[in-house]
Amino acid sequence: MKTLSLNTNFLNNRIVQHVLFWSFFFMMDFIDILEHTEINSILFILLITVLKLWDTIFMVYLNRLVFIPNFFIKKKYITHIVFTIVSILIVAFLSYLILQPILSNIEFSIKPGPRRMLFWGSVIQSVMLVLLTTLVHFTKEWIKVKDVERKLTELEKEKLDAELKSLKAQVNPHFLFNMLNNIYSLSLEKSDKSPKMILMLSDLMSYILYDCQDEKVPMEKEIQFLKNLIELEIISVGDDVRIEFNFDDSLKSHQVAPLLFIPFVENAFKHCSKNGKDKSFVIINLNHSGNKVCLKIENSTEQTDELIKDNYHGVGITNVEKRLTLLYPHKHQLSIQENDNTYKTVLCLKL
């Protein structure tokens, strides 16, 4: 495994990559010259190969190191093209001037054609390799950008997941705190309802601990949870409050992020006035229309001072607002209004 790692690092080295790239083209030119001449000196053939390839190497790195950063990156595309073409012609001509005297004294077994083909062959080779290396360069840059974007996306997702888990974890103690307060109040009165409430609370906690670990849960389970929660609240408030819970059966086939509705239901009972069955009420409607689900809660209250208004936006509401922003960005609407001793909460989600 260590040897494999060393080999991988070796091949990933940029210098090694460039050497291997040019070695390939060097060998192609070397073999071509060797097959078309009767020269016996390998060193001389190597020299000719270097002289034949230097202009292309020069143009590739001139393009990579000078023209691309100064022209292409700055969107000076016409200037880039003009400078590249002119440079290729000048360098190819210089290469021709160097090679022409040398090759004119060499006998080829196969005639390469007019000597001017040295010039145009150099131009064609330079153009092809400049285009090829430019494509490779921008492909690698594109891969780097995409890799950075992927890593940033993964980091952002991990951050959001951690924040969501933290916010979801806060629901449990907040919910449990409210329920235990209710049970404690009944226990002080030595109410026979206390054991039943403890058992129902156990069922609710089981849902939170085991069914709410996924990003989304079936709406049917969430509705059942709300029904149990409301029944628990009914035991607590007794006959002092008129309670209604209505929902569309068509919702059961959909999915939703778990535990989003709890804080609003809890707040409705927490701040509901308890001055008699006829005056006090909590009405909860869960409606479905198209790809939208709307939770509408209305409850009576006689507490209108500013302190109570602020408390209505307690820890649970703040928590769920953050979760809505993370889970349903630009796909939710939340409004909480007070009107004539009545609080009204409307939450709409795009499923």
Side-chain angles (χ1 to χ4, degrees):
M1 292 296 290
K2 187 175 181 180
T3 304
L4 180 60
S5 177
L6 288 173
N7 290 337
T8 303
N9 292 333
F10 177 76
L11 291 175
N12 287 332
N13 186 287
R14 291 188 65 185
I15 296 176
V16 172
Q17 291 175 351
H18 285 242
V19 170
L20 291 175
F21 178 82
W22 290 116
S23 296
F24 171 75
F25 288 98
F26 183 86
M27 289 302 299
M28 287 181 62
D29 280 351
F30 178 83
I31 293 171
D32 181 62
I33 294 172
L34 186 63
E35 289 179 348
H36 291 79
T37 184
E38 297 177 356
I39 299 175
N40 296 322
S41 175
I42 298 298
L43 291 177
F44 193 65
I45 295 176
L46 287 173
L47 175 61
I48 294 174
T49 306
V50 171
L51 292 175
K52 189 172 180 295
L53 193 60
W54 79 270
D55 54 337
T56 302
I57 296 175
F58 178 81
M59 278 309 308
V60 165
Y61 288 105
L62 181 66
N63 181 58
R64 286 280 303 273
L65 301 177
V66 179
F67 293 165
I68 289 177
N70 291 285
F71 302 137
F72 194 93
I73 299 300
K74 296 179 180 179
K75 298 183 179 180
K76 299 177 180 179
Y77 305 124
I78 302 299
T79 305
H80 184 200
I81 293 171
V82 170
F83 268 74
T84 302
I85 292 174
V86 171
S87 298
I88 287 175
L89 292 174
I90 293 172
V91 173
F93 183 70
L94 291 175
S95 179
Y96 172 77
L97 291 178
I98 295 171
L99 278 173
Q100 171 62 19
I102 298 173
L103 295 178
S104 63
N105 296 319
I106 299 174
E107 293 295 333
F108 284 87
S109 58
I110 300 176
K111 296 296 181 182
R115 293 300 177 184
R116 62 177 178 272
M117 287 304 297
L118 290 173
F119 171 77
W120 291 112
S122 177
V123 170
I124 293 170
Q125 181 174 265
S126 294
V127 169
M128 291 179 60
L129 283 179
V130 165
L131 288 175
L132 175 63
T133 54
T134 300
L135 179 62
V136 171
H137 171 75
F138 283 108
T139 301
K140 290 172 69 175
E141 292 300 314
W142 180 81
I143 292 173
K144 286 180 183 178
V145 170
K146 289 299 178 182
D147 188 53
V148 170
E149 289 178 353
R150 179 183 58 80
K151 289 179 180 178
L152 287 175
T153 302
E154 289 177 355
L155 287 173
E156 188 67 22
K157 186 176 184 301
E158 289 175 3
K159 180 183 176 182
L160 292 178
D161 287 345
E163 189 171 353
L164 282 170
K165 287 179 181 178
S166 174
L167 291 171
K168 190 190 291 186
Q170 292 175 28
V171 173
N172 299 352
H174 186 265
F175 163 78
L176 186 60
F177 175 78
N178 289 339
M179 289 297 100
L180 288 177
N181 270 346
N182 291 337
I183 295 173
Y184 176 71
S185 298
L186 290 174
S187 66
L188 290 178
E189 300 172 3
K190 296 183 172 26
S191 172
D192 295 336
K193 299 176 182 177
S194 298
K196 183 178 180 181
M197 287 190 71
I198 293 173
L199 184 61
M200 292 182 67
L201 179 60
S202 174
D203 291 338
L204 293 176
M205 291 304 298
S206 175
Y207 172 76
I208 292 175
L209 292 174
Y210 300 112
D211 294 335
C212 296
Q213 300 306 311
D214 296 329
E215 184 178 338
K216 291 187 178 181
V217 296
M219 197 71 181
E220 184 176 8
K221 290 188 175 181
E222 193 74 4
I223 291 173
Q224 185 59 49
F225 178 85
L226 289 176
K227 289 170 67 176
N228 293 339
L229 175 61
I230 292 168
E231 187 175 348
L232 198 58
E233 294 285 3
I234 290 174
I235 294 175
S236 176
V237 300
D239 297 330
D240 294 334
V241 181
R242 177 170 61 91
I243 299 172
E244 293 182 17
F245 177 40
N246 307 300
F247 60 90
D248 292 342
D249 284 331
S250 59
L251 277 170
K252 292 182 177 180
S253 60
H254 294 276
Q255 290 192 324
V256 69
L259 310 177
L260 285 178
F261 305 134
I262 294 177
F264 303 110
V265 174
E266 282 187 308
N267 267 23
F269 283 98
K270 181 179 179 181
H271 297 285
C272 176
S273 61
K274 300 177 178 61
N275 295 326
K277 187 174 180 180
D278 294 334
K279 295 182 179 179
S280 303
F281 63 88
V282 175
I283 301 175
I284 304 170
N285 290 294
L286 201 56
N287 301 319
H288 178 223
S289 177
N291 64 337
K292 267 188 176 183
V293 56
C294 288
L295 173 70
K296 299 178 181 178
I297 304 178
E298 192 171 1
N299 65 276
S300 58
T301 179
E302 293 181 348
Q303 302 168 328
T304 58
D305 58 281
E306 292 300 321
L307 178 62
I308 296 300
K309 288 180 185 178
D310 291 339
N311 287 339
Y312 199 81
H313 288 78
V315 175
I317 298 299
T318 302
N319 182 306
V320 78
E321 285 177 340
K322 291 179 181 178
R323 289 187 66 206
L324 284 169
T325 301
L326 295 172
L327 290 169
Y328 294 93
H330 311 297
K331 293 183 179 181
H332 74 276
Q333 292 179 325
L334 173 64
S335 66
I336 300 175
Q337 302 174 351
E338 180 194 11
N339 183 24
D340 297 332
N341 296 328
T342 300
Y343 269 111
K344 186 176 182 180
T345 301
V346 178
L347 170 63
C348 291
L349 305 175
K350 285 185 179 180
L351 299 176

mmCIF file of all heavy atoms in Angstrom, residues 280-298:
data_model
loop_
_atom_site.group_PDB
_atom_site.id
_atom_site.type_symbol
_atom_site.label_atom_id
_atom_site.label_comp_id
_atom_site.label_asym_id
_atom_site.label_seq_id
_atom_site.Cartn_x
_atom_site.Cartn_y
_atom_site.Cartn_z
ATOM 1 N N SER A 280 -63.525 30.362 26.164
ATOM 2 C CA SER A 280 -62.157 29.899 25.892
ATOM 3 C C SER A 280 -62.172 28.817 24.812
ATOM 4 O O SER A 280 -63.005 27.911 24.845
ATOM 5 C CB SER A 280 -61.538 29.340 27.175
ATOM 6 O OG SER A 280 -61.552 30.334 28.191
ATOM 7 N N PHE A 281 -61.247 28.915 23.910
ATOM 8 C CA PHE A 281 -61.231 27.947 22.818
ATOM 9 C C PHE A 281 -59.833 27.838 22.210
ATOM 10 O O PHE A 281 -59.024 28.765 22.283
ATOM 11 C CB PHE A 281 -62.239 28.335 21.726
ATOM 12 C CG PHE A 281 -61.921 29.649 21.054
ATOM 13 C CD1 PHE A 281 -61.073 29.709 19.955
ATOM 14 C CD2 PHE A 281 -62.467 30.833 21.548
ATOM 15 C CE1 PHE A 281 -60.785 30.917 19.347
ATOM 16 C CE2 PHE A 281 -62.177 32.047 20.942
ATOM 17 C CZ PHE A 281 -61.327 32.093 19.847
ATOM 18 N N VAL A 282 -59.584 26.671 21.628
ATOM 19 C CA VAL A 282 -58.403 26.425 20.789
ATOM 20 C C VAL A 282 -58.904 25.664 19.569
ATOM 21 O O VAL A 282 -59.408 24.542 19.695
ATOM 22 C CB VAL A 282 -57.325 25.608 21.517
ATOM 23 C CG1 VAL A 282 -56.186 25.289 20.546
ATOM 24 C CG2 VAL A 282 -56.799 26.344 22.728
ATOM 25 N N ILE A 283 -58.777 26.281 18.407
ATOM 26 C CA ILE A 283 -59.255 25.651 17.172
ATOM 27 C C ILE A 283 -58.050 25.441 16.250
ATOM 28 O O ILE A 283 -57.347 26.393 15.903
ATOM 29 C CB ILE A 283 -60.308 26.524 16.472
ATOM 30 C CG1 ILE A 283 -61.502 26.749 17.407
ATOM 31 C CG2 ILE A 283 -60.761 25.868 15.164
ATOM 32 C CD1 ILE A 283 -62.539 27.710 16.853
ATOM 33 N N ILE A 284 -57.827 24.191 15.881
ATOM 34 C CA ILE A 284 -56.665 23.830 15.056
ATOM 35 C C ILE A 284 -57.150 23.201 13.760
ATOM 36 O O ILE A 284 -57.926 22.237 13.779
ATOM 37 C CB ILE A 284 -55.749 22.836 15.806
ATOM 38 C CG1 ILE A 284 -55.326 23.421 17.154
ATOM 39 C CG2 ILE A 284 -54.529 22.485 14.956
ATOM 40 C CD1 ILE A 284 -54.633 22.436 18.059
ATOM 41 N N ASN A 285 -56.720 23.751 12.645
ATOM 42 C CA ASN A 285 -57.080 23.218 11.330
ATOM 43 C C ASN A 285 -55.810 22.941 10.532
ATOM 44 O O ASN A 285 -54.913 23.788 10.449
ATOM 45 C CB ASN A 285 -57.949 24.210 10.557
ATOM 46 C CG ASN A 285 -59.340 24.340 11.164
ATOM 47 O OD1 ASN A 285 -60.128 23.397 11.154
ATOM 48 N ND2 ASN A 285 -59.626 25.506 11.724
ATOM 49 N N LEU A 286 -55.767 21.750 9.962
ATOM 50 C CA LEU A 286 -54.643 21.367 9.120
ATOM 51 C C LEU A 286 -55.196 21.057 7.738
ATOM 52 O O LEU A 286 -55.827 20.015 7.524
ATOM 53 C CB LEU A 286 -53.938 20.144 9.717
ATOM 54 C CG LEU A 286 -52.489 19.870 9.298
ATOM 55 C CD1 LEU A 286 -51.593 21.070 9.572
ATOM 56 C CD2 LEU A 286 -51.948 18.646 10.033
ATOM 57 N N ASN A 287 -54.979 21.976 6.798
ATOM 58 C CA ASN A 287 -55.606 21.875 5.487
ATOM 59 C C ASN A 287 -54.581 21.569 4.398
ATOM 60 O O ASN A 287 -53.395 21.898 4.524
ATOM 61 C CB ASN A 287 -56.334 23.181 5.147
ATOM 62 C CG ASN A 287 -57.404 23.517 6.168
ATOM 63 O OD1 ASN A 287 -58.128 22.631 6.624
ATOM 64 N ND2 ASN A 287 -57.498 24.790 6.550
ATOM 65 N N HIS A 288 -55.072 20.991 3.320
ATOM 66 C CA HIS A 288 -54.215 20.620 2.195
ATOM 67 C C HIS A 288 -54.820 21.168 0.909
ATOM 68 O O HIS A 288 -55.994 20.956 0.618
ATOM 69 C CB HIS A 288 -54.107 19.087 2.112
ATOM 70 C CG HIS A 288 -53.276 18.621 0.965
ATOM 71 N ND1 HIS A 288 -53.653 17.566 0.160
ATOM 72 C CD2 HIS A 288 -52.097 19.073 0.460
ATOM 73 C CE1 HIS A 288 -52.739 17.379 -0.771
ATOM 74 N NE2 HIS A 288 -51.797 18.283 -0.621
ATOM 75 N N SER A 289 -53.992 21.906 0.145
ATOM 76 C CA SER A 289 -54.459 22.445 -1.124
ATOM 77 C C SER A 289 -53.303 22.434 -2.122
ATOM 78 O O SER A 289 -52.296 23.124 -1.920
ATOM 79 C CB SER A 289 -54.977 23.878 -0.933
ATOM 80 O OG SER A 289 -55.368 24.443 -2.169
ATOM 81 N N GLY A 290 -53.446 21.636 -3.180
ATOM 82 C CA GLY A 290 -52.373 21.514 -4.163
ATOM 83 C C GLY A 290 -51.125 20.931 -3.532
ATOM 84 O O GLY A 290 -51.154 19.839 -2.966
ATOM 85 N N ASN A 291 -50.024 21.662 -3.606
ATOM 86 C CA ASN A 291 -48.769 21.194 -2.990
ATOM 87 C C ASN A 291 -48.484 21.944 -1.682
ATOM 88 O O ASN A 291 -47.358 21.998 -1.224
ATOM 89 C CB ASN A 291 -47.598 21.386 -3.954
ATOM 90 C CG ASN A 291 -47.335 22.859 -4.255
ATOM 91 O OD1 ASN A 291 -48.222 23.685 -4.113
ATOM 92 N ND2 ASN A 291 -46.122 23.172 -4.685
ATOM 93 N N LYS A 292 -49.559 22.504 -1.096
ATOM 94 C CA LYS A 292 -49.409 23.274 0.130
ATOM 95 C C LYS A 292 -50.149 22.631 1.293
ATOM 96 O O LYS A 292 -51.225 22.058 1.123
ATOM 97 C CB LYS A 292 -49.954 24.704 -0.059
ATOM 98 C CG LYS A 292 -48.939 25.727 -0.485
ATOM 99 C CD LYS A 292 -49.563 27.118 -0.432
ATOM 100 C CE LYS A 292 -48.528 28.180 -0.774
ATOM 101 N NZ LYS A 292 -49.108 29.546 -0.657
ATOM 102 N N VAL A 293 -49.554 22.735 2.462
ATOM 103 C CA VAL A 293 -50.225 22.352 3.698
ATOM 104 C C VAL A 293 -50.213 23.579 4.602
ATOM 105 O O VAL A 293 -49.200 24.263 4.733
ATOM 106 C CB VAL A 293 -49.540 21.153 4.388
ATOM 107 C CG1 VAL A 293 -48.067 21.434 4.670
ATOM 108 C CG2 VAL A 293 -50.262 20.810 5.692
ATOM 109 N N CYS A 294 -51.362 23.878 5.184
ATOM 110 C CA CYS A 294 -51.492 25.061 6.046
ATOM 111 C C CYS A 294 -52.008 24.652 7.419
ATOM 112 O O CYS A 294 -53.036 23.974 7.541
ATOM 113 C CB CYS A 294 -52.434 26.083 5.428
ATOM 114 S SG CYS A 294 -51.738 26.935 4.002
ATOM 115 N N LEU A 295 -51.281 25.077 8.436
ATOM 116 C CA LEU A 295 -51.703 24.892 9.826
ATOM 117 C C LEU A 295 -52.274 26.223 10.314
ATOM 118 O O LEU A 295 -51.576 27.248 10.303
ATOM 119 C CB LEU A 295 -50.521 24.479 10.695
ATOM 120 C CG LEU A 295 -50.795 24.408 12.208
ATOM 121 C CD1 LEU A 295 -51.703 23.224 12.534
ATOM 122 C CD2 LEU A 295 -49.497 24.324 12.997
ATOM 123 N N LYS A 296 -53.522 26.202 10.717
ATOM 124 C CA LYS A 296 -54.166 27.416 11.229
ATOM 125 C C LYS A 296 -54.642 27.154 12.657
ATOM 126 O O LYS A 296 -55.426 26.228 12.897
ATOM 127 C CB LYS A 296 -55.349 27.808 10.346
ATOM 128 C CG LYS A 296 -54.956 28.122 8.906
ATOM 129 C CD LYS A 296 -56.154 28.467 8.047
ATOM 130 C CE LYS A 296 -55.737 28.751 6.606
ATOM 131 N NZ LYS A 296 -56.896 29.049 5.726
ATOM 132 N N ILE A 297 -54.145 27.959 13.572
ATOM 133 C CA ILE A 297 -54.488 27.808 14.991
ATOM 134 C C ILE A 297 -55.029 29.133 15.496
ATOM 135 O O ILE A 297 -54.416 30.188 15.304
ATOM 136 C CB ILE A 297 -53.273 27.390 15.834
ATOM 137 C CG1 ILE A 297 -52.657 26.098 15.296
ATOM 138 C CG2 ILE A 297 -53.672 27.223 17.289
ATOM 139 C CD1 ILE A 297 -51.420 25.653 16.044
ATOM 140 N N GLU A 298 -56.158 29.066 16.146
ATOM 141 C CA GLU A 298 -56.752 30.259 16.755
ATOM 142 C C GLU A 298 -57.122 29.935 18.193
ATOM 143 O O GLU A 298 -57.731 28.899 18.467
ATOM 144 C CB GLU A 298 -57.988 30.699 15.957
ATOM 145 C CG GLU A 298 -58.495 32.070 16.337
ATOM 146 C CD GLU A 298 -59.577 32.570 15.380
ATOM 147 O OE1 GLU A 298 -59.922 31.822 14.442
ATOM 148 O OE2 GLU A 298 -60.062 33.696 15.579
#
